[in-house]
Amino acid sequence: MSDDLDTRHNEKMKRIKAARTRMMATKTEEKGLIIVHTGAGKGKSSSGFGMIMRCIAHGMPCAVVQFIKGTWVTGEAEFLRNRFAQECRFFVSGEGFTWDTQDRQRDIAAARNGWEIAKEQILDPDVQFVLLDEINIALRYDYLDIDEVVDFLQTYKPPMTHVCLTGRNAKPELIEAADLVTEMSLLKHPFKEGVKAQKGVEF
């Protein structure tokens, strides 16, 4: 019985491999992607910073523009600034969450400053990947104009530059314009059980 099961498994894997090889042969295009990480679940920024690590490993110059989280001392900021400052530029435009600043005009000004920095990094021919961390929050509250952001990405982003935009509640216009969209869903979170954000996990 075991030999028959192994034989069927091997035959099935051969068919899958052949089909996969045929499919991969049709995937020949290369382009800079517009990537969106959104949803209520944890992992949006974490995934974005994972791609930053990949870029560094591949020798691809990259940049981070961090919206909203400005007052946090995050592990990713410390790591990149202290160890990979030459490989990855790191900018912070936010002054903290909206309930921290309690000043809408300051939040708008910070977001717009971050967007100006973001555009400079995206247009820089030396930068191949730009992470716009938590920009979706700025877009959600209309601190930035969604039409302006989408138009810039579709019209002015260099063809081979990747841009990743993270944050909850990505606007439909951005989702429509993106090449790759991932929605992190929330199944369970320790915060609901009274556990505060943990170093190394949340920041």
Side-chain angles (χ1 to χ4, degrees):
M1 178 66 74
S2 178
D3 288 345
D4 288 345
L5 187 60
D6 290 344
T7 299
R8 289 199 300 273
H9 174 80
N10 290 343
E11 290 173 352
K12 179 181 179 182
M13 291 304 106
K14 287 178 183 177
R15 291 194 299 272
I16 291 174
K17 178 174 172 49
R20 179 81 179 173
T21 299
R22 290 193 300 271
M23 180 190 71
M24 292 303 292
T26 68
K27 312 300 181 186
T28 58
E29 183 180 357
E30 291 188 46
K31 61 177 291 191
L33 302 176
I34 300 172
I35 303 162
V36 175
H37 292 163
T38 192
K42 176 181 162 37
K44 299 176 288 293
S45 294
S46 300
S47 180
F49 281 104
M51 287 193 285
I52 288 289
M53 296 301 104
R54 287 176 177 168
C55 289
I56 291 172
H58 286 299
M60 297 169 59
C62 50
V64 176
V65 183
Q66 203 163 47
F67 296 77
I68 307 299
K69 294 178 182 174
T71 58
W72 280 27
V73 179
T74 62
E76 56 265 25
E78 293 295 298
F79 181 73
L80 292 170
R81 283 174 166 167
N82 293 334
R83 302 188 188 186
F84 294 101
Q86 297 301 313
E87 294 85 354
C88 182
R89 306 168 186 174
F90 201 105
F91 304 91
V92 175
S93 70
E95 298 184 81
F97 293 101
T98 53
W99 54 83
D100 290 324
T101 61
Q102 300 179 20
D103 187 330
R104 185 172 180 273
Q105 291 306 314
R106 275 175 56 188
D107 291 339
I108 291 172
R112 289 182 177 169
N113 179 61
W115 176 235
E116 292 304 314
I117 295 170
K119 289 190 288 185
E120 291 174 1
Q121 299 308 305
I122 293 168
L123 291 174
D124 189 328
D126 292 331
V127 176
Q128 297 178 37
F129 185 104
V130 181
L131 173 60
L132 305 182
D133 188 39
E134 301 290 3
I135 191 174
N136 288 340
I137 306 300
L139 290 165
R140 173 190 179 187
Y141 288 114
D142 296 320
Y143 297 165
L144 299 173
D145 182 81
I146 183 62
D147 292 332
E148 178 189 344
V149 171
V150 168
D151 179 68
F152 178 85
L153 292 173
Q154 291 184 321
T155 306
Y156 298 104
K157 181 185 75 64
M160 293 306 296
T161 300
H162 304 293
V163 180
C164 179
L165 306 92
T166 75
R168 295 183 178 213
N169 303 113
K171 290 206 169 185
E173 297 94 327
L174 182 60
I175 291 173
E176 177 65 25
D179 301 289
L180 171 61
V181 180
T182 300
E183 182 175 23
M184 280 69 166
S185 59
L186 177 62
L187 299 181
K188 193 174 185 179
H189 199 295
F191 188 77
K192 291 187 176 181
E193 304 300 322
V195 180
K196 67 180 183 179
Q198 299 294 293
K199 185 184 298 183
V201 177
E202 299 285 347
F203 61 93

